[in-house]
Amino acid sequence: MAGWRRAVELTMTEEEIERLTVLSRSRTEAASRVSRAQMLLAYRENPSFCAVGKRIGVHHQTVQRCVERALAYGPLAAIEDRPRPGKEPVITPEAKAWLVSLACDKAKEHGYPHELWTTRLLARHARDHGPAAGHECLAKLVQGTVCKILSHEEIKPHKVRYYLERRDAEFEQKMAEVLCVYREVQILKKAAAKSKKSGKPVAIVSYDEKPGIQALATTAPDLPPVPGTYATFARDHEYKRHGTLSLLAGIDLLTGKVHALVKERHRSREFIEFLKLLDAAYPADTAIKLILDNHSAHISRETQAWLAAQPANRFEFTFTPKHGSWLNLIEGFFSKFTRSILRHIRVTSKHELKERIMAGIDDVNRHPVIHTWSYKLAEAA
């Protein structure tokens, strides 16, 4: 009966002792590894299973097993968890392939009102239809197992990642035309820096509309920050809608000046009104070149009729390709304007919103920023 208490000799190298000492004092390693390291070091000092067990706070048989593993596999290997065989897999590879193939379909294709699968719905469908498809092992499939199978195959059927399909057959050509205009801007800037007089004066304007700017009002006053107590403004969740406005804006790429109108809508008549604003802003002999998208208001019969009545070469349009609004520099201005002026804005009426927007435009024009395009510009040279 006392055989389990018989001491055995355990020899360790200096490197193993040093490594075990570091592990025994670690606060980041797993508790089981730290405990085993402490057992082996304690047993080296006092080769008694009972004494070490009392000192570490474990059963003497736990110490004995640890020492026996150290004798069989080495001290460093003895502190690691041994691999366990685990339960035999229940779900067959064929069943997993069937489940993965199912996940690659849309849920609505299988008669569900859902557009995409959820893992819970996919598990339920597999339980209901898997056995009939010859996969009896799926009869008790649970959501967690579905997650593991899909994760292993790197499939996320519950998510959507958007992509942009180029539907404009002339995308590259139209992009090149826009880049040529930016290249012209660069040349004009260099000429102005060298004080060289150019020929006919030119104004190049990047134009677009920002529709749907909401006029939201608070239903309770905002509460200011209180040092040491409330770090931010406090705002009631409820708000009142007063409608929306559209910002029609164009930025002069040579001077940085922003021309803008705020209107209820952005139809052809509003676009023509903006063109009249540009017409009044530049001398009669200046050629006004606009970079803009192919919105219906920009190419409507009403717009074309107005342009036809203007002097020849007064206005020249360069259209960005379909799904190519990122080529328009005004988009960067809109982004900055939204983050600095429109973010968290609250007003009492649409009239106040219009005044705030135009005040923001005036503030920008007091310190104009000349926007520069550089991406793929060398290709337009």
Side-chain angles (χ1 to χ4, degrees):
M1 293 292 295
W4 49 267
R5 297 190 181 184
R6 187 168 52 248
V8 292
E9 184 179 358
L10 177 63
T11 58
M12 292 186 285
T13 64
E14 293 296 330
E15 183 180 352
E16 291 172 336
I17 295 173
E18 182 178 355
R19 175 59 178 160
L20 290 174
T21 302
V22 172
L23 282 172
S24 66
R25 299 172 181 173
S26 175
R27 295 186 178 180
T28 58
E29 292 287 342
S32 59
R33 300 181 75 234
V34 174
S35 177
R36 290 167 192 157
Q38 293 173 348
M39 288 182 209
L40 296 178
L41 291 173
Y43 186 82
R44 178 175 172 271
E45 298 175 2
N46 182 11
S48 169
F49 301 139
C50 289
V52 172
K54 291 179 180 179
R55 176 178 173 181
I56 304 299
V58 297
H59 199 274
H60 58 78
Q61 290 181 348
T62 303
V63 180
Q64 182 178 356
R65 285 194 297 268
C66 182
V67 173
E68 289 175 351
R69 286 175 57 186
L71 292 172
Y73 306 107
L76 295 181
I79 64 174
E80 304 292 343
D81 291 328
R82 296 181 65 183
R84 294 173 174 82
K87 186 179 179 181
E88 288 293 331
V90 176
I91 301 178
T92 63
E94 293 77 14
K96 290 181 180 179
W98 179 83
L99 183 66
V100 170
S101 176
L102 183 67
C104 292
D105 297 335
K106 286 189 174 182
K108 67 176 183 178
E109 297 173 4
H110 294 269
Y112 293 99
H114 310 67
E115 178 72 13
L116 303 177
W117 292 108
T118 64
T119 52
R120 191 182 301 276
L121 178 63
L122 189 57
R124 191 181 80 191
H125 182 87
R127 288 195 301 268
D128 294 342
H129 299 85
H135 307 294
E136 190 65 33
C137 57
L138 297 179
K140 296 183 179 181
L141 183 68
V142 296
Q143 181 188 11
T145 305
V146 172
C147 294
K148 290 179 182 178
I149 294 173
L150 297 182
S151 177
H152 183 266
E153 297 296 334
E154 297 183 357
I155 296 177
K156 300 177 180 179
H158 59 289
K159 290 188 175 182
V160 173
R161 182 179 64 85
Y162 289 89
Y163 74 99
L164 182 62
E165 181 179 348
R166 290 186 178 181
R167 297 186 176 90
D168 193 336
E170 300 177 347
F171 188 94
E172 298 293 338
Q173 177 185 344
K174 293 179 180 178
M175 181 177 71
E177 292 174 359
V178 175
L179 294 180
C180 283
V181 177
Y182 289 143
R183 179 64 174 170
E184 182 180 357
V185 172
Q186 189 179 63
I187 293 172
L188 291 173
K189 287 179 180 178
K190 290 181 179 179
K194 295 181 180 179
S195 300
K196 292 184 178 180
K197 293 185 178 181
S198 57
K200 186 178 180 181
V202 177
I204 301 177
V205 177
S206 175
Y207 168 83
D208 201 2
E209 300 96 1
K210 182 175 178 60
I213 303 175
Q214 296 191 77
L216 300 179
T218 57
T219 58
D222 289 345
L223 304 179
V226 177
T229 307
Y230 303 109
T232 65
F233 278 93
R235 173 173 291 171
D236 190 86
H237 287 282
E238 292 188 8
Y239 56 87
K240 183 178 180 181
R241 297 179 186 271
H242 290 298
T244 60
L245 294 175
S246 294
L247 171 61
L248 293 74
I251 182 168
D252 190 317
L253 300 182
L254 295 173
T255 65
K257 178 179 174 60
V258 178
H259 306 277
L261 287 176
V262 179
K263 295 292 179 180
E264 297 274 344
R265 302 171 67 181
H266 57 287
R267 301 163 294 179
S268 297
R269 64 187 68 178
E270 285 81 19
F271 178 57
I272 292 173
E273 186 176 347
F274 181 83
L275 293 179
K276 291 179 180 179
L277 176 68
L278 290 181
D279 189 47
Y282 294 99
D285 60 340
T286 300
I288 304 174
K289 298 184 178 182
L290 276 84
I291 301 173
L292 68 171
D293 60 26
N294 205 20
H295 189 271
S296 58
H298 306 161
I299 57 175
S300 66
R301 286 182 295 180
E302 187 178 350
T303 300
Q304 295 300 322
W306 186 87
L307 289 173
Q310 305 309 306
N313 300 322
R314 175 60 166 170
F315 288 95
E316 179 182 337
F317 290 179
T318 300
F319 294 104
T320 59
K322 191 172 184 179
H323 297 311
S325 59
W326 55 274
L327 286 166
N328 205 340
L329 268 174
I330 191 68
E331 297 294 343
F333 166 77
F334 280 153
S335 176
K336 183 178 180 180
F337 192 81
T338 300
R339 286 181 280 113
S340 59
I341 304 294
L342 300 180
R343 184 168 177 247
H344 300 315
I345 192 170
R346 290 294 186 268
V347 294
T348 58
S349 64
K350 287 199 289 186
H351 178 70
E352 182 187 346
L353 177 61
K354 179 180 179 180
E355 290 184 340
R356 297 272 294 274
I357 292 174
M358 293 308 298
I361 297 295
D362 293 338
D363 184 71
V364 170
N365 286 332
R366 280 193 288 271
H367 308 281
V369 176
I370 299 178
H371 292 64
T372 302
W373 184 274
S374 58
Y375 178 66
K376 289 191 175 182
L377 194 58
E379 298 180 8

